Amino acid sequence: MRILVVEDEKKVAGFIKKGLEEELYAADVASDGEEGLGLAEAENYDLIILDIMLPKIDGLEVLSRLRKNKITTPILLLTAKDSVDDKVNGLNRGADDYLTKPFAFSELLARTRVLLRRGQNETKTVLQVADLTLDLVKHKVSRDGEEIELTGKEYSLLEYFMRSPGKVLTRTMIAEHVWDYNFDTFTNVIDVYVNHLRKKIDKSYSKKLIHTLRGVGYVMKE
Ligand code: CA
């Protein structure tokens, strides 16, 4: 899952990005409203964390323009002041939730998970495909009851596959949801990671779950 953080305070933005990456999300940071709007329109994010007080274009205006342009990505607003006006205004303009600064990272994370689940129309915290399960809270993966150790990126890749069973995922889609903006899509890194993942979750099982569609991408299915 890939998240855009629009926040001009470097310290806060860095703290959020680091925390999200530790939780195995890919995160990009935009440091003003103009950059945030540009990235949100050009890229395909699963969630946007948007500060209200921003240089160039403020957060509420960014929010209005995104919704006007039919971008429906869930948006979590950050507000410095505990102003009822800002919250009401934000929700009226199409924000999905808000958080007042200063906040504990654990609360940001809890709200992030809820919004990502809502975006997927999903209420469970464990994903399952055949006998493969992935626990979104504990970050544990197991197949046929046996726990499988994955690296952070392998886990993120598997999570993306398991959120879209039966759906063909192109390399571009995988890059957009699993890697951040600095990722060079012209490399074969995705294929390398998919192969690593296969070795761990498919190799010693008769029923293969990750299938290659030559020239198109990959699909996870039974
Ligand atoms: Ca700010």
Side-chain angles (χ1 to χ4, degrees):
M1 300 279 103
R2 186 172 173 208
I3 298 171
L4 174 64
V5 181
V6 191
E7 166 63 271
D8 58 313
E9 286 165 70
K10 280 208 167 64
K11 244 176 128 172
V12 180
F15 155 79
I16 297 174
K17 179 177 164 74
K18 186 166 169 278
L20 290 174
E21 286 173 347
E22 279 170 9
E23 292 298 320
L24 309 175
Y25 297 112
D28 292 328
V29 172
S31 53
D32 62 58
E34 199 176 84
E35 191 190 357
L37 191 61
L39 275 174
E41 287 179 337
E43 304 291 319
N44 198 348
Y45 291 100
D46 299 295
L47 173 72
I48 299 170
I49 297 173
L50 179 63
D51 189 31
I52 290 183
M53 304 275 278
L54 288 171
K56 296 191 184 171
I57 307 172
D58 75 56
L60 290 175
E61 182 60 26
V62 170
L63 169 66
S64 297
R65 291 201 204 171
L66 288 175
R67 293 304 186 234
K68 208 173 141 205
N69 294 343
K70 305 273 182 289
I71 292 172
T72 56
T73 312
I75 294 179
L76 172 62
L77 281 180
L78 299 181
T79 157
K81 39 191 177 179
D82 197 6
S83 147
V84 177
D85 280 356
D86 268 0
K87 288 171 193 168
V88 171
N89 227 328
L91 294 171
N92 279 341
R93 291 182 193 211
D96 296 272
D97 200 0
Y98 60 82
L99 198 54
T100 306
K101 290 176 176 177
F103 52 84
F105 186 75
S106 55
E107 188 176 3
L108 177 74
L109 188 60
R111 287 171 191 262
T112 294
R113 285 194 180 124
V114 169
L115 290 176
L116 287 173
R117 282 209 298 272
R118 200 185 292 167
Q120 304 281 323
N121 269 330
E122 177 192 280
T123 51
K124 8 176 229 259
T125 56
V126 176
L127 304 177
Q128 179 152 19
V129 175
D131 54 356
L132 179 69
T133 60
L134 181 147
D135 187 319
L136 291 164
V137 178
K138 293 179 186 152
H139 295 151
K140 281 195 193 315
V141 172
S142 62
R143 185 152 187 199
D144 197 20
E146 209 168 305
E147 198 172 320
I148 299 170
E149 292 280 340
L150 298 180
T151 65
K153 266 291 173 252
E154 289 164 359
Y155 174 92
S156 304
L157 183 59
L158 181 62
E159 179 187 341
Y160 184 51
F161 272 120
M162 291 185 74
R163 282 183 187 274
S164 330
K167 189 174 160 192
V168 176
L169 304 177
T170 64
R171 287 174 183 79
T172 306
M173 290 162 77
I174 294 172
E176 282 183 348
H177 289 272
V178 180
W179 274 269
D180 65 24
Y181 190 66
N182 299 314
F183 181 68
D184 178 1
T185 43
F186 296 103
T187 65
N188 66 344
V189 168
I190 290 172
D191 301 312
V192 172
Y193 273 95
V194 170
N195 284 333
H196 285 320
L197 188 58
R198 268 190 170 135
K199 274 186 197 139
K200 294 186 179 177
I201 66 146
D202 266 348
K203 200 178 173 213
S204 43
Y205 300 87
S206 59
K207 193 191 277 176
K208 309 300 178 200
L209 299 177
I210 298 177
H211 305 267
T212 304
L213 295 174
R214 219 162 269 286
V216 183
Y218 297 98
V219 61
M220 169 161 272
K221 60 179 184 194
E222 287 192 45

